[in-house]
Amino acid sequence: MSGVFDHETYLSPLTWRYGGEAMRHLWSEVHKRRLLRRVWVALADAQQTAGLVSAEQVADLRAHQDDIDIAAAEAIEREIRHDLMAEIKTYAAQCAVGGAIIHLGATSMDVLDNVDAMRLRAALDIVIRQLEQVLASLAGRIEAEAHTATIAFTHIQPAEPTTIGYRLAQYGQDLLIDLDELRRVRANVRGKGLKGAVGTSASYTQLLEGSALTARQLEAQVMASLGLEAFPVATQTYPRKQDWLVLNALAGLCATLHKFAFDLRILQSPPFGEWSEPFGAKQVGSSAMPFKRNPITAENIDSLARLVAALPRVAWDNAALSLLERTLDDSANRRLLLPEAFLLTDEILRRAQGLVEGMHFWTGPIERNLRDYGIFAATERVLMAAVQAGGDRQALHEVIREQSLAAWAALQAGRANPLAELLAADERITQFVPADAVPGLLDASGHVGDAAERALALAAHLRSALTPASTSMYEQGAL
């Protein structure tokens, strides 16, 4: 039960270490109970329209809507073992006039599932806004590095040249897919509505008999007050497939950020040495090895992303194993599942923002690797020039293969790449291509095709997909 928590007892790292304050507050118990009361006030307000309760009763509920008393509610819960009823009793005790009509006609999930839908939507607003900020920063880095040639790697082996901007554009393209999916999921978040114990609205139909409203009209009025659409049909709960769709979208986003962070970790390794994450002036890399500059932010992203990736499976079980009109075996895990998924994603996005803005591209290693390995890819230019001068493509291909293997052996032995010299001294090549032209043809820095143009176009597309700077509904205080 609640009290003053400190580090003498177990605290989730999400309580204090990971996740932002806005997301943490959104999933807080106090905020949840305020939203519960908001639903009860909206229900009572609609019931006043139907003539079932008085304006004074509704006004009394509204006056005490924010008077959350968790200690009192938990004392009641210890006795009755029903958390929602404990909150109802706590609220009712605060409302001398309106307390008797709280939750009239409703079942627990009429309230709880609408609250969860509101929290899902507000949490998605925060994630989407964070992702847009990452994309805005990434677009700037793509534009700045669109023309910066670098060696590309396939199978984690040197391949042909690309540009840093074009590599970054791959992450941007995936993140844009994630943004589209998050927006789609957010637009389709629905509440249960007011449909009673098994979704048939039987209790409301009976309660409203002879009144000015039908059960569906009552539901529509309440949901309009909450700013939330309802599923057209439901059981005791809203379809648990909704949770799975939301968590899948979060996991998809985290997959993209995991790849970005993993790539950075590889490129920060000294044998590559091309990229590095920010490193503070007083930052300690290792307790044993003072020289270490470990990519701890990227490693943290990958570590947390693995956990997010595992959560949709639990949501899948909740959807697939919700038998008939409802079982309760989803309730306990959803108290963990939903806030954890969003808080983890929140932390991953916060750290990704820092990486995108602060990562460094090291000119020396980039040029070294391009010089040592890009030359192999550029042999294609020598081959084409020689064939155009009348050479046999197959015979020349074998010459270049032979000399490339010799050059690769020299590199493996720690010597400088001798390929340019080997080809410029090979008469089988120079009979078609002048020796002094070979080094220029083997300069791979320009062998990047239209990578720069495509990178710049992608950056422009990212910018066009972003919404104007704004705050989420939660940040505006609407929830």
Side-chain angles (χ1 to χ4, degrees), residues 316-345:
W316 186 95
D317 285 343
N318 288 345
L321 304 177
S322 182
L323 306 178
L324 301 176
E325 277 64 53
R326 196 268 160 104
T327 50
L328 196 63
D329 52 2
D330 65 337
S331 179
N333 69 49
R334 289 179 78 249
R335 294 176 190 265
L336 302 169
L337 185 69
L338 300 180
E340 286 184 359
F342 278 100
L343 282 162
L344 291 166
T345 303

Side-chain angles (χ1 to χ4, degrees), residues 79 104 207 246 453:
E79 179 181 355
L104 181 60
L207 187 65
V246 170
E453 290 76 15

Side-chain angles (χ1 to χ4, degrees), residues 227-466:
L228 188 66
E229 292 187 44
F231 280 102
V233 298
T235 58
Q236 191 174 98
T237 70
Y238 68 55
R240 290 298 181 242
K241 183 177 284 285
Q242 174 165 267
D243 295 344
W244 178 70
L245 290 168
V246 170
L247 266 63
N248 261 353
L250 296 179
L253 166 61
C254 290
T256 302
L257 295 174
H258 184 287
K259 173 177 167 47
F260 162 61
F262 204 170
D263 284 354
L264 188 150
R265 290 165 62 191
I266 291 173
L267 291 172
Q268 183 164 326
S269 176
F272 293 84
E274 296 187 5
W275 295 13
S276 67
E277 65 176 47
F279 194 85
K282 295 187 177 182
Q283 185 173 331
V284 176
S286 168
S287 63
M289 296 169 281
F291 61 88
K292 293 292 288 294
R293 290 176 58 107
N294 298 336
I296 58 171
T297 300
E299 289 175 324
N300 182 275
I301 288 173
D302 286 346
S303 181
L304 297 179
R306 290 179 195 171
L307 183 52
V308 177
L311 297 179
R313 174 60 211 226
V314 182
W316 186 95
D317 285 343
N318 288 345
L321 304 177
S322 182
L323 306 178
L324 301 176
E325 277 64 53
R326 196 268 160 104
T327 50
L328 196 63
D329 52 2
D330 65 337
S331 179
N333 69 49
R334 289 179 78 249
R335 294 176 190 265
L336 302 169
L337 185 69
L338 300 180
E340 286 184 359
F342 278 100
L343 282 162
L344 291 166
T345 303
D346 180 275
E347 181 68 22
I348 289 167
L349 280 164
R350 290 155 60 88
R351 289 177 180 258
Q353 181 76 28
L355 286 189
V356 170
E357 292 183 350
M359 61 183 172
H360 187 80
F361 306 121
W362 295 95
T363 302
I366 290 169
E367 292 179 349
R368 178 198 69 210
N369 290 335
L370 187 61
R371 180 187 67 244
D372 286 349
Y373 301 115
I375 191 172
F376 292 109
T379 57
E380 184 178 17
R381 300 173 69 191
V382 175
L383 176 64
M384 289 187 293
V387 171
Q388 287 173 334
D392 182 303
R393 191 264 178 198
Q394 308 340 310
L396 289 165
H397 182 280
E398 179 57 27
V399 172
I400 292 173
R401 188 189 73 84
E402 172 189 320
Q403 299 289 26
S404 293
L405 290 177
W408 191 268
L411 279 175
Q412 295 293 88
R415 299 195 298 273
N417 193 327
L419 184 56
E421 291 81 4
L422 291 174
L423 293 178
D426 194 315
E427 294 182 355
R428 294 171 294 178
I429 297 293
T430 57
Q431 64 178 305
F432 300 107
V433 178
D436 59 0
V438 170
L441 288 170
L442 290 176
D443 178 4
S445 60
H447 192 57
V448 294
D450 59 1
E453 290 76 15
R454 288 180 183 272
L456 291 170
L458 192 283
H461 186 42
L462 292 182
R463 293 192 184 281
S464 69
L466 305 181

